[in-house]
Amino acid sequence: MVLLLLLGLVLSLANAQFSQDFTVQRNHNMARISGTWNSFFMASDNMTRIRENGDLRLFIRNISILKKGSLQFDFHFMVQGECVAVTMVCEKTETNGEFTVDYEGKNRVRLSETDYRIYVIFYMENIKNGTKTHVLALYGRIPNYEKTCLKRFENICKKYGLDSQNIINLIDQDDCYDVPKRS
């Protein structure tokens, strides 16, 4: 009888351990970010740059960690009705989870939060012609997002002074996506 109770306790604790939400906001293991991602939501203090035809409206395909810790982002975006593939390599800085890249100005990219399995949130500060723009992006591993991910994204946006009117939904907006539209 004691053995069964002990076994039940061990199984309960193991189940609680594995079903717990595991969110990382610092000391990121960047190798675990590598893989296929989908664009879900973006936010910015300059909506023109992330709306349709905006220069920062990019649809993620893949993220890879490179030698020396740099990150490679594979994106698609529309240019005059055509899908264009873009690869950006963000150079690692001395700060964990922070990178720099020149694209439409000078950019500092930070991994803000992730659970590695379902979602990742990136923050980017862009300086173009002396004007600073803040952009956040919520990416997911699976084609459908969980509402809890959107809630976490909204909360992080608030930390940067962005509210719901600064958030755009990118789900089913990617005309370059090569699988049937999500429902």
Side-chain angles (χ1 to χ4, degrees), residues 30 68-71 90-101 107-111:
M30 297 311 294
K68 298 184 182 179
S70 297
L71 277 187
C90 297
E91 299 299 327
K92 179 181 167 186
T93 68
E94 292 184 16
T95 304
N96 178 265
E98 184 175 274
F99 305 85
T100 59
V101 64
N107 299 279
R108 184 165 302 278
V109 178
R110 281 187 217 116
L111 174 53

Side-chain angles (χ1 to χ4, degrees), residues 158-170:
K158 287 178 186 173
K159 289 180 184 178
Y160 290 99
L162 305 174
D163 58 24
S164 60
Q165 68 192 24
N166 297 93
I167 298 173
I168 62 169
N169 183 339
L170 296 178

Side-chain angles (χ1 to χ4, degrees), residues 13-151:
L13 290 173
N15 185 41
Q17 171 93 20
F18 289 111
S19 64
Q20 227 176 27
D21 281 343
F22 180 67
T23 301
V24 180
Q25 295 178 336
R26 62 177 96 73
N27 298 323
H28 305 287
N29 179 348
M30 297 311 294
R32 293 185 65 192
I33 298 298
S34 291
T36 302
W37 293 92
N38 300 285
S39 296
F40 288 159
F41 294 90
M42 289 185 84
S44 181
D45 55 357
N46 182 347
M47 298 301 289
T48 304
R49 298 193 72 192
I50 64 170
R51 285 199 178 112
E52 193 167 343
N53 299 317
D55 61 340
L56 297 178
R57 183 185 178 102
L58 302 169
F59 293 91
I60 191 70
R61 288 297 182 269
N62 194 64
I63 301 173
S64 305
I65 186 111
L66 303 176
K67 291 180 181 176
K68 298 184 182 179
S70 297
L71 277 187
Q72 177 178 308
F73 290 85
D74 297 318
F75 293 106
H76 279 93
F77 68 106
M78 296 295 286
V79 176
Q80 298 178 345
E82 297 290 324
C83 291
V84 176
V86 174
T87 296
M88 279 187 246
V89 175
C90 297
E91 299 299 327
K92 179 181 167 186
T93 68
E94 292 184 16
T95 304
N96 178 265
E98 184 175 274
F99 305 85
T100 59
V101 64
D102 288 341
Y103 171 78
E104 295 295 329
K106 301 281 185 191
N107 299 279
R108 184 165 302 278
V109 178
R110 281 187 217 116
L111 174 53
S112 182
E113 180 178 296
T114 187
D115 70 351
Y116 300 115
R117 305 176 295 113
I118 298 172
Y119 77 99
V120 63
I121 299 171
F122 281 97
Y123 165 77
M124 182 180 76
E125 179 182 275
N126 170 273
I127 300 174
K128 181 178 179 180
N129 300 326
T131 302
K132 190 181 292 186
T133 302
H134 304 277
V135 177
L136 285 111
L138 171 61
Y139 302 143
R141 292 238 190 234
I142 57 176
N144 297 315
Y145 77 98
E146 293 184 10
K147 291 190 189 304
T148 56
C149 296
L150 177 56
K151 194 58 154 163

